[in-house]
Amino acid sequence: MKILVTVKRVPDPDQKIKLTADGRQLDLSGLPCVVNPFDAIAVEEALRIRERSSEAGEIVVLSIGAAECEEQLRTALAMGADRGIRVDTPAAADPWNVAAIVQAVVAREQPGLVLMGKQAVDDDSNQVGQFLAARLNWPQATFASKIEFVDGHAEVNRETDSGIERVRIALPAVITTDLRLNEPRYVSLPGIVRARKKPLEVLSLEALGVALQPRVKLLGVTIPTSSRAGTRLRDVDDLVQRLKELKVI
Amino acid sequence: MRILVVAEHDQGALKGVTLSAVGFARALKDAEPEILLMGHQVGSLAEQLRRYGPVWVADHEALRLAAADRYAEIIRRVAAERQASMVVAAASTFSKDILPRAAALLDGTMGTDVVGVQEENGQLLFLRPVNAGSVVATVALMGEPKVLTLRASAFKSPEPGEPQEVHPIAVDPTSLPNLIEVVRRDSKTSSRPDVTEARVVVSGGRGVKNAEDFERIIGGLADVLHGGVGCSRALVDAGVTSNDLQVGQTGKIAAPDVYFAVGISGAVQHLAGMKDSKVVVVINKDPDAPAFEVADYGLVADLYQAVPELIQKLQPSP
Ligand SMILES: Cc1cc2nc3c(=O)[nH]c(=O)nc-3n(C[C@H](O)[C@H](O)[C@H](O)COP(=O)(O)OP(=O)(O)OC[C@H]3O[C@@H](n4cnc5c(N)ncnc54)[C@H](O)[C@@H]3O)c2cc1C
């Protein structure tokens, strides 16, 4: 089975985000970037699906954006994916347009499964997988914490607010990953060397026949600050006293 | 402006956050909120909901469990028929699974985790946290309908009013998609309130070593305060707690009157899920733990000593 995995370049989630001097945009200059953690989990899952299956299958990784996204594609290739595609866009596309682009790539590649992170940790939208599944009229299984294949179907455990839900879906399908699906492997040095030689194709929007039509316009950003007093308490009795004042007890 | 509010319920009980979504809709100018209820044998829920607005009810065996393909299709039909300019629901794994699918079917536009709305020159602008809540973005959504998931903690539930009409929707299961089969759902057995609805939440982190300690210390404190329990991702990963207790960027959003972070370091991804609590109490043995920076009250102590002592002192005297 051919698996298409999306890989987004995002600022390292452990770094502190700042605004530009005029306060109107995020200042991402100099911030180290990584593969969106949920997408790394999706790449890892694709590799594991292939490792435990008897049939050979190609793993294609897709990133959308400017040339620097190729760094993240190379990381995915170093993990073990076979081939990379970058769709060249000048600026970040909103989830709607990302779904339109992925759909066009699906039409070209005809994968049996699309694996994507449930959300990108920069935009936190959690929309693209569901948009894509609807556009393709494919089944979706979001927030996956376990994926198994039974009689040509996928059975997926989903993490929901009330616990685990198990769904059964036919293929092709879109599955989005949650944190506990797996722990992505580290890239090895030989992996990095091999990744340099793996094919990485750059496609234009024209070649894919997609015209961007923005549906979300970012107008401004602010950094919320904590205004909490941070009073240090002496001991447990002090805490009991405060809780009484708060009428919690 | 007609706004369709998608109701969420679980095992026969209405999720309280649904009412916050109604509250959001009511506060908008010229708003006409209508409620969409989907499920099986949900008559009593419709009776509750009609006190908050007219209710459209799709009640059918085929809708007993919330499969995204079917629910999104029902939302599409009702939103189109009612010419809704907005479709909203409280942010949850239910709405985040289904609403984007409905938005795509409706050829609409979408905002996730909306915490505020402003009007500027007749245009609505939406505020939403990004980058694990370390940034709040202001966005305009182009196109209609505008589909939103809403942080319940940011919007007030309205008072119930005179009962409005209930409109049943005819459901023909053969006309519904059949792409997703829900094989089973864990039914939750906890006697404690959910972190999204509790007035007091006690959360434990990696400082808590195992499941017995979690139950005794974190659960014990929650019980004397009649609160709910939550946790950091570290404990779910370690297998100490189940995923439905996780608070944070990729877990639940807790905004209780009092939030206890016990043995939690205070990573941004965790803070994203508890920042809007009214009062935050941090108990951590490391005086430099970042959690203290967002605390109203901080106690530098070993949780294994401080919390049992606290439980004992809070115990109602016999
Ligand atoms: C994409 C992504 C999404 C994430 N989403 C979430 C999320 O939704 N929610 C979430 O919580 N995390 C999330 N995380 C993880 C987050 O970054 C942190 O790793 C996690 O919150 C740390 O959990 P912790 O504070 O329990 O553990 P640690 O950071 O290990 O902190 C443990 C704390 O316990 C204290 N401690 C230890 N022993 C004691 C004791 N005996 N008494 C008192 N204090 C003690 C220590 O001083 C320390 O401060 C996410 C990470 C990523 C990359």
Side-chain angles (χ1 to χ4, degrees), chain B residues 10-53:
Chain B
D10 191 24
Q11 295 168 57
L14 187 69
K15 288 268 179 102
V17 292
T18 300
L19 300 180
S20 310
V22 177
F24 161 88
R26 282 228 195 136
L28 294 176
K29 211 167 75 187
D30 307 320
E32 297 169 58
E34 298 186 359
I35 301 168
L36 171 59
L37 173 64
M38 296 172 279
H40 185 43
Q41 294 174 335
V42 288
S44 65
L45 298 180
E47 281 307 310
Q48 280 178 53
L49 285 167
R50 67 190 297 194
R51 306 196 78 99
Y52 299 91

Side-chain angles (χ1 to χ4, degrees), chain B residues 131-250:
Chain B
N131 295 87
S134 48
V135 179
V136 176
T138 305
V139 297
L141 298 176
M142 271 88 69
E144 282 208 344
K146 299 185 197 317
V147 179
L148 310 175
T149 59
L150 306 160
R151 282 272 172 94
S153 55
F155 306 101
K156 275 207 182 63
S157 313
E159 293 298 322
E162 283 303 306
Q164 309 280 308
E165 261 190 84
V166 174
H167 309 272
I169 302 167
V171 178
D172 170 9
T174 60
S175 76
L176 288 176
N178 195 12
L179 299 168
I180 302 166
E181 181 197 346
V182 181
V183 181
R184 80 182 139 75
R185 292 195 73 182
D186 284 358
S187 54
K188 222 172 110 184
T189 47
S190 175
S191 54
R192 300 190 180 111
D194 194 77
V195 293
T196 57
E197 298 188 343
R199 281 189 53 239
V200 175
V201 172
V202 183
S203 280
R206 206 193 305 268
V208 181
K209 293 198 192 77
N210 55 48
E212 295 87 78
D213 292 353
F214 185 85
E215 183 50 35
R216 178 170 57 88
I217 295 175
I218 304 301
L221 180 55
D223 290 345
V224 287
L225 298 170
H226 308 290
V229 293
C231 68
S232 71
R233 173 187 168 188
L235 282 193
V236 188
D237 286 354
V240 171
T241 47
S242 68
N243 76 284
D244 52 292
L245 297 186
Q246 180 177 312
V247 170
Q249 179 190 22
T250 56

